[in-house]
């Protein structure tokens, strides 16, 4: 519900203050070069309560902590501008149509997903971006979805949680993810541009292919110095120009498997409540990004068509990301 979303927001806010405090401390630590800005910490929070429509369902909450580091220029090939390594730790919560669903009315499995992802992004002079990542994680009781959600609701007096007795069984997953983006067009004033993006995931968790354009409008930087691709990290002494832009990102997905809905791919007993997926899904993001000096702030809304072969409806949620460069 909305109250749960507000509570989670303040939790994220408190953690962000901690990260900023540590970042400022490290920035004044003599052994680090603050002029270079070669590392970045970021916190991302997803929640359907950010739409202010009194909704608490499906992908209901997510949080991730992200660290990025710029690789030494001497390791680059001639056609590359930079390489950035990344590490993310995250947690996601999934409900049925709400957190007190009766079995007969459940339209999506209850489950949680705890994951760790490591990746590398390569940025090229022709403004193409290749991102490769490996993600491993755990679904089921080992991901602590039930105790976390119940503790939140009990602490703040929200509605009683039920439905976790029917969550997915424990399941380890491992995926390989590849994203590729290429600049297609930009106007001379550098206020509007168009990218074409491709997303591929293969493994035991998410299997899909997605393709779509990205439109940015505002004050924008090249793709290898833009907050959109988390590429503002800079090894030189000069500062990267500030950015403020709106963006629209529609993606058409063809999906083969989704372990958050269908359960463990290799498990015989996947759990008491599993469903098939809709193979075709259309996703839309509408957002705004502001980045200046060391700070990056992004907020967007996500709208997905129906994902589950059940009575489940289309789903939407909001996301907020705050990053700080060292």
């Amino acid at each position: 519900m909305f109250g749960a979303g507000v509570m989670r927001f303040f939790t994220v806010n408190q953690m962000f203050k901690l990260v900023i405090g540590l970042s400022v401390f490290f920035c004044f630590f003599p052994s680090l070069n603050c002029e270079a800005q070669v590392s970045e910490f970021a916190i991302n929070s997803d929640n359907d309560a950010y739409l202010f429509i009194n909704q608490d369902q499906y992908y209901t909450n997510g949080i991730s902590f992200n660290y990025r580091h710029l690789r030494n220029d001497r390791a680059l090939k001639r056609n590359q501008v930079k390489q950035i390594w990344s590490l993310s730790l995250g947690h996601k919560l999934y409900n049925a149509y709400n957190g007190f669903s009766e079995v007969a009315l459940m339209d999506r499995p209850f489950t949680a997903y705890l994951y760790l992802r490591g990746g590398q992004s390569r940025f090229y002079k022709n403004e193409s971006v290749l991102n490769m990542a490996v993600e491993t994680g755990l679904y089921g009781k080992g991901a602590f979805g039930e105790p976390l959600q119940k503790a939140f609701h009990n602490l703040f007096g929200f509605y009683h949680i039920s439905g976790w007795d029917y969550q997915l069984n424990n399941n380890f997953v491992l995926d390989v993810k590849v994203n590729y983006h290429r600049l297609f067009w930009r106007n001379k004033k550098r206020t509007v541009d168009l990218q074409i993006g491709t997303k591929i995931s293969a493994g035991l968790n998410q299997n899909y292919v997605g393709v779509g354009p990205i439109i940015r409008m505002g004050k924008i930087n090249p793709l290898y110095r833009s907050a959109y691709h988390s590429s503002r990290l800079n090894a030189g002494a000069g500062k990267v120009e500030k950015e403020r832009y709106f963006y629209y990102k529609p993606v058409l997905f063809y999906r083969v498997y989704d372990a958050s809905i269908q359960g463990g791919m290799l498990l015989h007993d996947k759990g008491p409540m599993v469903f098939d997926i809709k193979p075709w899904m259309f996703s839309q993001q509408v957002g705004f990004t502001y980045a200046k000096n060391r700070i990056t702030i992004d907020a967007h809304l996500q709208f997905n068509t129906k994902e589950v072969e059940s009575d489940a409806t289309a789903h939407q949620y909001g996301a907020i990301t705050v990053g700080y460069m060292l």
Side-chain angles (χ1 to χ4, degrees):
M1 301 293 286
F2 173 69
V6 172
M7 181 278 300
R8 294 183 188 116
F9 172 79
F10 283 114
T11 302
V12 171
N13 186 41
Q14 293 169 357
M15 289 184 286
F16 172 65
K17 290 180 179 179
L18 175 62
V19 170
I20 292 297
L22 292 174
S23 300
V24 172
F25 171 78
F26 286 129
C27 191
F28 286 100
F29 197 76
S31 64
L32 294 179
N33 180 3
C34 290
E35 291 295 326
Q37 298 180 1
V38 296
S39 298
E40 181 182 32
F41 288 102
I43 296 177
N44 171 258
S45 173
D46 300 331
N47 201 298
D48 50 6
Y50 294 154
L51 283 86
F52 302 101
I53 58 175
N54 198 30
Q55 176 182 291
D56 188 22
Q57 63 184 18
Y58 308 149
Y59 175 43
T60 185
N61 185 66
I63 186 168
S64 65
F65 303 89
N66 310 283
Y67 174 75
R68 303 180 185 94
H69 184 76
L70 184 67
R71 190 175 182 183
N72 192 302
D73 286 346
R74 289 175 294 181
L76 300 180
K77 297 180 180 180
R78 290 184 179 180
N79 62 338
Q80 291 182 355
V81 179
K82 64 178 65 171
Q83 290 185 15
I84 296 176
W85 293 86
S86 62
L87 187 66
S88 301
L89 175 65
H91 189 269
K92 297 182 178 183
L93 274 172
Y94 299 91
N95 284 351
Y97 74 100
N98 58 37
F100 50 90
S101 303
E102 299 176 9
V103 175
L105 299 178
M106 283 189 184
D107 51 9
R108 197 196 199 285
F110 276 71
T111 192
Y113 179 48
L114 179 65
Y115 66 91
L116 180 68
R117 179 173 61 244
Q120 181 196 70
S121 296
R122 299 179 181 181
F123 300 87
Y124 297 90
K125 294 179 181 178
N126 64 358
E127 293 200 54
S128 60
V129 182
L130 176 64
N131 177 268
M132 299 169 289
V134 176
E135 180 178 299
T136 184
L138 174 67
Y139 284 98
K141 291 184 178 180
F144 310 111
E146 180 180 10
L148 284 175
Q149 192 174 42
K150 285 186 174 181
F152 289 160
H153 281 234
N154 291 339
L155 180 62
F156 289 89
F158 303 140
Y159 66 85
H160 175 70
I161 294 291
S162 63
W164 283 100
D165 291 340
Y166 305 96
Q167 68 179 300
L168 296 179
N169 290 337
N170 283 343
N171 174 42
F172 282 101
V173 294
L174 178 68
D175 279 0
V176 175
K177 299 178 180 292
V178 179
N179 298 341
Y180 179 77
H181 293 81
R182 176 73 179 267
L183 179 68
F184 184 77
W185 172 84
R186 178 180 294 129
N187 68 345
K188 293 182 179 180
K189 293 183 178 180
R190 208 179 74 181
T191 56
V192 181
D193 68 9
L194 173 66
Q195 308 168 47
I196 302 297
T198 302
K199 304 162 67 72
I200 299 174
S201 179
L204 300 176
N205 182 18
Q206 305 282 334
N207 284 276
Y208 60 73
V209 176
V211 180
I214 302 111
I215 302 170
R216 300 188 299 169
M217 296 176 290
K219 183 175 177 54
I220 54 181
N221 287 347
L223 301 190
Y224 48 76
R225 288 202 303 269
S226 178
Y228 189 86
H229 291 288
S230 303
S231 58
R232 291 177 59 83
L233 293 174
N234 182 26
K239 293 183 179 179
V240 177
E241 294 183 20
K242 70 178 180 180
E243 295 181 284
R244 56 178 183 273
Y245 56 83
F246 292 93
Y247 61 90
Y248 174 59
K249 178 185 177 182
V251 182
L252 179 63
F253 286 95
Y254 180 74
R255 306 188 305 151
V256 179
Y257 203 87
D258 186 335
S260 73
I261 298 171
Q262 297 171 279
M265 184 184 295
L266 303 181
L267 295 182
H268 175 70
D269 183 7
K270 302 175 186 295
M273 300 291 295
V274 295
F275 299 88
D276 290 329
I277 61 172
K278 289 280 189 181
W280 292 99
M281 186 188 78
F282 185 57
S283 168
Q284 298 180 84
Q285 273 186 18
V286 181
F288 177 76
T289 300
Y290 177 82
K292 183 179 180 181
N293 298 332
R294 302 178 186 276
I295 296 291
T296 296
I297 301 173
D298 175 84
H300 70 258
L301 303 179
Q302 179 87 29
F303 302 92
N304 294 337
T305 57
K306 186 172 177 177
E307 302 176 66
V308 189
E309 284 283 9
S310 71
D311 293 331
T313 61
H315 185 51
Q316 54 279 320
Y317 59 90
I320 300 171
T321 302
V322 180
Y324 184 82
M325 293 192 297
L326 296 177

